[in-house]
């Protein structure tokens, strides 16, 4: 299969490298200049759980590409611009493997092909140009987003991952929405808490940080149910606790962003919960507090759209 990975950051580089192993698929990575130049010169080096080097194609230009599949792995606030570039090419299907919610709707509005939702718990850190550390194995789930009945395409994408020895599961349209909301709950609990406290994920396994897990989970689950997604609150608490245990020594992506003075994805994580809850008339004070604190940090550094007031709801991805 011909596959474009649009966004060769940490996760995109790892996924692209896994798909490129064994020359099963023709993989093209779209990334920043220094990373692309290093891959073209020396290949993409993976270390950690496994150590290997692959040599996928790499480019800084995401326009005019053609492939069977495009995997979107950019930060959520870049989804708009990614969609505009992808629209200049031709793809049989496009699948988001991004954090947060709302990415699939943006892609579906912009592109004339089946859109798939995806979620993965693989952990990666891009350590240097041309190098990515694989620090967490996990699951990968894909399902139809728009149209809701494009199950056949989702099956082909899952099979492509399996051909590259990546364990993947296909779920239906309802299933992928439930999985994405569950992942949203995990991110809503782990990311801002670890970013604000400057701790590893494992800190959420014990008080005082652990005291935030249940209220965050129950707020997210209540919001999901209010918009028709069947998310059990107790199961959501358990899902967060499981991820915390499995990734105890890891730094969350938001902690990394804050540590490097970069804009975060808070608007499409806790901010998305706040906005959907506002529309449904549900109070989500814990998520609102975390969203406001991270946005205040961003505003103080001129990052993102920190001028919006807390009662106005979260802003979505702006393509910056």
């Amino acid at each position: 299969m011909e596959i474009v990975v649009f966004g060769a950051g940490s996760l995109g580089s790892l996924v692209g490298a896994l798909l490129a192993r064994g020359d099963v698929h023709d993989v093209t990575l779209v990334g920043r200049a220094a990373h692309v130049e290093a891959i073209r010169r020396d290949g993409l080096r993976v270390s950690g759980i496994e150590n290997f080097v692959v040599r996928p194609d790499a480019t800084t230009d995401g326009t005019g590409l053609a492939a069977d599949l495009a995997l979107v792995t950019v930060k959520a606030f870049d989804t708009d611009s990614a969609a505009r570039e992808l629209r200049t090419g031709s793809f049989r299907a496009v699948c988001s493997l991004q954090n947060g919610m709302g990415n699939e709707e943006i892609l579906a509005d912009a592109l004339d092909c089946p859109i798939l939702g995806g979620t993965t718990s693989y952990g990666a850190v891009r350590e240097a140009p041309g190098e990515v550390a694989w620090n967490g194995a996990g699951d990968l789930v894909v399902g139809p987003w728009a149209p809701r009945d494009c199950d056949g395409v989702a099956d082909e994408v899952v099979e492509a991952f399996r051909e590259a020895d990546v364990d993947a599961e296909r779920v239906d349209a309802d299933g992928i929405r439930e999985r994405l909301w569950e992942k949203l709950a995990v991110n809503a609990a782990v990311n801002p808490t670890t970013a604000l406290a400057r701790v590893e994920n494992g800190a959420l396994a014990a008080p005082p940080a652990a005291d935030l897990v249940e209220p965050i989970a129950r707020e997210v689950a209540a919001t999901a149910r209010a918009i028709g997604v069947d998310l059990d609150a107790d199961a959501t608490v358990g899902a967060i606790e499981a991820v915390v245990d499995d990734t105890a020594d890891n730094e969350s992506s938001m902690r990394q962003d804050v540590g490097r003075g970069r804009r975060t994805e808070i608007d499409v994580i806790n901010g998305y919960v706040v906005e959907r809850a506002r529309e449904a008339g549900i109070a989500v004070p814990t998520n609102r507090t975390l969203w406001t604190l991270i946005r205040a940090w961003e505003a103080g550094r001129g990052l993102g759209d920190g001028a919006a007031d807390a009662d106005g709801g979260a802003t979505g991805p702006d393509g910056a």
Side-chain angles (χ1 to χ4, degrees), residues 32 74-82 98-99 103 106 257 262-268 298 304 316-320:
R32 298 187 183 278
V74 298
K75 291 285 191 179
F77 47 76
D78 285 329
T79 305
D80 272 336
S81 57
Q98 300 165 268
N99 278 335
N103 300 299
I106 293 171
D257 288 339
R262 300 186 307 205
R263 184 180 179 185
T264 75
E265 296 180 297
I266 193 69
D267 284 340
V268 294
E298 290 182 337
D318 63 9

Side-chain angles (χ1 to χ4, degrees), residues 8 23 30 41 54 69 76 91 104 122 142 153 208 242 247 277 298-299:
D23 296 323
V30 180
R41 184 180 63 248
V54 292
L69 171 67
F91 304 94
E104 293 80 9
Y122 276 75
V142 173
V153 175
T247 65
E298 290 182 337

Side-chain angles (χ1 to χ4, degrees), residues 17-49:
L18 294 174
L19 288 168
R21 286 186 302 183
D23 296 323
V24 176
H25 304 296
D26 293 327
V27 177
T28 298
L29 302 180
V30 180
R32 298 187 183 278
H35 193 47
V36 166
E37 289 169 6
I39 293 170
R40 287 175 172 173
R41 184 180 63 248
D42 302 318
L44 175 57
R45 185 176 302 276
V46 178
S47 61
I49 291 178

Side-chain angles (χ1 to χ4, degrees), residues 85-220:
E85 291 192 43
L86 289 167
R87 190 165 53 197
T88 66
S90 175
F91 304 94
R92 184 149 183 264
V94 172
C95 177
S96 167
L97 285 177
Q98 300 165 268
N99 278 335
M101 294 288 285
N103 300 299
E104 293 80 9
E105 287 91 343
I106 293 171
L107 295 170
D109 286 344
L111 303 173
D112 187 22
C113 68
I115 303 300
L116 307 175
T119 176
T120 181
S121 56
Y122 276 75
V125 176
R126 200 181 71 182
E127 296 193 317
E131 299 180 15
V132 61
W134 181 7
N135 56 20
D139 58 6
L140 193 149
V141 181
V142 173
W145 192 270
R148 290 177 63 96
D149 61 353
C150 59
D151 301 84
V153 175
D155 284 332
E156 293 179 24
V157 171
V158 167
E159 182 58 29
F161 277 110
R162 291 174 177 169
E163 288 172 351
D165 293 326
V166 177
D167 188 25
E169 176 188 359
R170 202 273 287 174
V171 295
D172 63 15
D174 288 333
I176 193 60
R177 285 157 174 81
E178 291 168 14
R179 295 294 186 96
L180 287 173
W181 270 93
E182 182 180 275
K183 181 181 178 180
L184 182 68
V186 171
N187 282 329
V190 173
N191 273 291
T193 306
T194 58
L196 290 165
R198 305 294 202 276
V199 294
E200 284 73 35
N201 295 356
L204 271 74
D211 298 336
L212 288 174
V213 169
E214 184 165 345
I216 292 169
R218 293 194 179 280
E219 289 175 10
V220 175

Side-chain angles (χ1 to χ4, degrees), residues 194-305:
T194 58
L196 290 165
R198 305 294 202 276
V199 294
E200 284 73 35
N201 295 356
L204 271 74
D211 298 336
L212 288 174
V213 169
E214 184 165 345
I216 292 169
R218 293 194 179 280
E219 289 175 10
V220 175
T223 304
R225 291 195 302 273
I227 65 170
V229 177
D230 185 17
L231 197 65
D232 179 79
D234 290 336
T236 304
V237 173
I240 296 171
E241 291 173 343
V243 170
V244 168
D245 288 341
D246 290 343
T247 65
D249 296 330
N250 291 2
E251 288 188 358
S252 73
S253 59
M254 194 172 293
R255 185 190 174 191
Q256 293 176 45
D257 288 339
V258 168
R260 295 168 183 168
R262 300 186 307 205
R263 184 180 179 185
T264 75
E265 296 180 297
I266 193 69
D267 284 340
V268 294
I269 300 176
N270 303 81
Y272 187 88
V273 177
V274 170
E275 177 62 11
R276 299 290 81 75
R278 182 188 65 79
E279 294 169 352
I282 295 173
V284 288
T286 314
N287 279 275
R288 179 177 287 277
T289 298
L290 292 170
W291 173 63
T292 303
L293 288 171
I294 293 291
R295 283 175 63 82
W297 176 86
E298 290 182 337
R301 286 152 183 80
L303 303 170
D305 182 18

